[in-house]
Amino acid sequence: MSLKNDAFPSSTAFDLINNSLSSDDAERKDAVKKGNAIFAFTLKNKEEQSESWYIDLKEHGVVGKGTVPEGKKTDVTLLLSDDDFGKLVSGKANAQKLFMSGKLKVKGDIMKATKMEPILKRAQTSAKL
């Protein structure tokens, strides 16, 4: 099942991250060990529509639609535009600079948000956003 939403072009990255996590068991376990959190992403597109995805690196190393897996609690939520998320995943933007400029908002444990960067880098290698 694809996680892509055509109204959010950068959402392709969630499929890439999911494929990366599901293709290599050792890599997924390493990501869960390093991430140890559930990350939610709420993106806003140019039409001002919002959509959410999560990356569960607390237990299973899976990616899904919505803000949180059923019965779980999100550790950190990142809110940004679809365009900025695309730049972040492709390596054209830096999360810290987006945060400092107010383009990236973080709710929850901000220190856990810093653990997300290595996971996004996995999508960078194959992202064509």
Side-chain angles (χ1 to χ4, degrees):
M1 177 183 92
S2 176
L3 300 167
K4 184 178 185 318
N5 179 333
D6 290 332
F8 297 83
S10 70
S11 65
T12 305
F14 293 107
D15 279 328
L16 298 173
I17 294 167
N18 193 41
N19 291 343
S20 172
L21 290 170
S22 60
S23 66
D24 185 340
D25 197 46
E27 196 170 299
R28 184 180 73 251
K29 286 178 181 174
D30 183 56
V32 169
K33 184 178 175 185
K34 288 179 181 173
N36 193 31
I38 297 175
F39 303 90
F41 294 83
T42 299
L43 307 182
K44 188 175 273 195
N45 65 12
K46 289 181 170 96
E47 290 78 33
E48 297 296 313
Q49 298 170 314
S50 291
E51 184 77 44
S52 297
W53 292 262
Y54 66 84
I55 302 175
D56 178 354
L57 294 180
K58 194 165 232 168
E59 293 176 20
H60 306 293
V62 296
V63 183
K65 281 190 176 181
T67 54
V68 66
E70 194 171 324
K72 306 282 186 211
K73 184 175 182 254
T74 303
D75 293 287
V76 62
T77 301
L78 301 128
L79 302 108
L80 67 164
S81 73
D82 179 63
D83 189 47
D84 286 331
F85 181 70
K87 290 176 185 173
L88 184 63
V89 172
S90 65
K92 295 176 184 165
N94 174 293
Q96 190 173 9
K97 287 180 183 173
L98 289 174
F99 179 75
M100 295 299 207
S101 66
K103 292 181 178 182
L104 168 62
K105 293 178 177 45
V106 179
K107 289 183 180 177
D109 189 339
I110 196 161
M111 292 312 292
K112 294 235 185 215
T114 62
K115 296 183 178 192
M116 194 62 235
E117 203 145 354
I119 306 305
L120 294 178
K121 287 195 184 304
R122 290 179 185 187
Q124 282 180 16
T125 57
S126 51
K128 307 247 186 320
L129 303 173

